[in-house]
């Protein structure tokens, strides 16, 4: 039975894992006494996912804040996605760019685009957007 299941899974696996990666931040302007949350999502049509490779970010102290993962198997096709969350604590004032985050699996690789972030003095940060009146 286990061998038949392994054979079925092997036949259902696509030739390419369709590896993708996406990154976003919760704000583009951050005060020196605040933090930015970087969310990185890795997806593939495969049972296992590689972890993202973070670039050097000298203007931030970087802290991992966890990961969530979901996997589906529908009509013989596996879809797998994991979201990695990082807290970036700014260290230096000025305009900066979070370089592309990359991921590799076998011969496949993918990377995000760069993300611009402005780090300002604590009293220069824009106020949070007010919600529209009901």
């Amino acid at each position: 039975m286990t061998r038949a299941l392994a054979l079925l899974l092997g036949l259902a696996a696509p030739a390419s894992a369709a590896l993708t990666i996406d990154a976003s931040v919760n704000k583009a302007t951050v005060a020196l006494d605040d933090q930015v949350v970087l969310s990185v999502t890795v997806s593939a049509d495969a049972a296992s996912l590689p972890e993202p490779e973070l670039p050097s970010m000298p203007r931030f102290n970087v802290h991992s804040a966890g990961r969530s993962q979901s996997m589906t198997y529908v009509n013989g096709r596996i879809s797998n996605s994991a979201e990695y969350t990082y807290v970036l604590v700014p260290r230096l004032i000025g305009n900066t760019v979070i370089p592309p985050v990359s991921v590799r699996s076998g011969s496949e690789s993918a990377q995000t685009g760069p993300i611009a972030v402005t780090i300002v003095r604590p009293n220069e940060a824009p106020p949070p957007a007010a919600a529209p009146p009901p």
Side-chain angles (χ1 to χ4, degrees):
M1 182 74 153
T2 304
R3 188 172 181 201
L5 181 59
L7 179 61
L8 278 174
L9 288 175
L11 292 174
S16 171
L19 183 64
T20 62
I21 186 169
D22 185 50
S24 62
V25 293
N26 66 331
K27 57 182 108 176
T29 302
V30 60
L32 197 55
D33 63 347
D34 200 0
Q35 61 190 18
V36 173
V37 176
L38 172 65
S39 299
V40 178
T41 303
V42 177
S43 301
D45 297 336
S48 64
L49 292 173
E51 289 195 26
E53 299 169 13
L54 289 183
S56 173
M57 293 181 264
R59 289 188 176 255
F60 296 100
N61 289 327
V62 180
H63 306 278
S64 177
R67 156 188 128 147
S68 63
Q69 186 166 353
S70 67
M71 178 187 250
T72 59
Y73 185 77
V74 178
N75 295 329
R77 182 177 173 158
I78 295 173
S79 293
N80 200 355
S81 179
E83 182 176 7
Y84 297 83
T85 304
Y86 302 94
V87 175
L88 310 180
V89 180
R91 298 176 46 201
L92 301 168
I93 294 170
N95 295 327
T96 189
V97 172
I98 297 171
V101 179
S102 61
V103 67
R104 287 186 180 86
S105 178
S107 63
E108 276 195 282
S109 65
Q111 70 178 20
T112 67
I115 302 171
V117 176
T118 302
I119 304 168
V120 297
R121 288 181 175 81
N123 55 355
E124 293 177 4

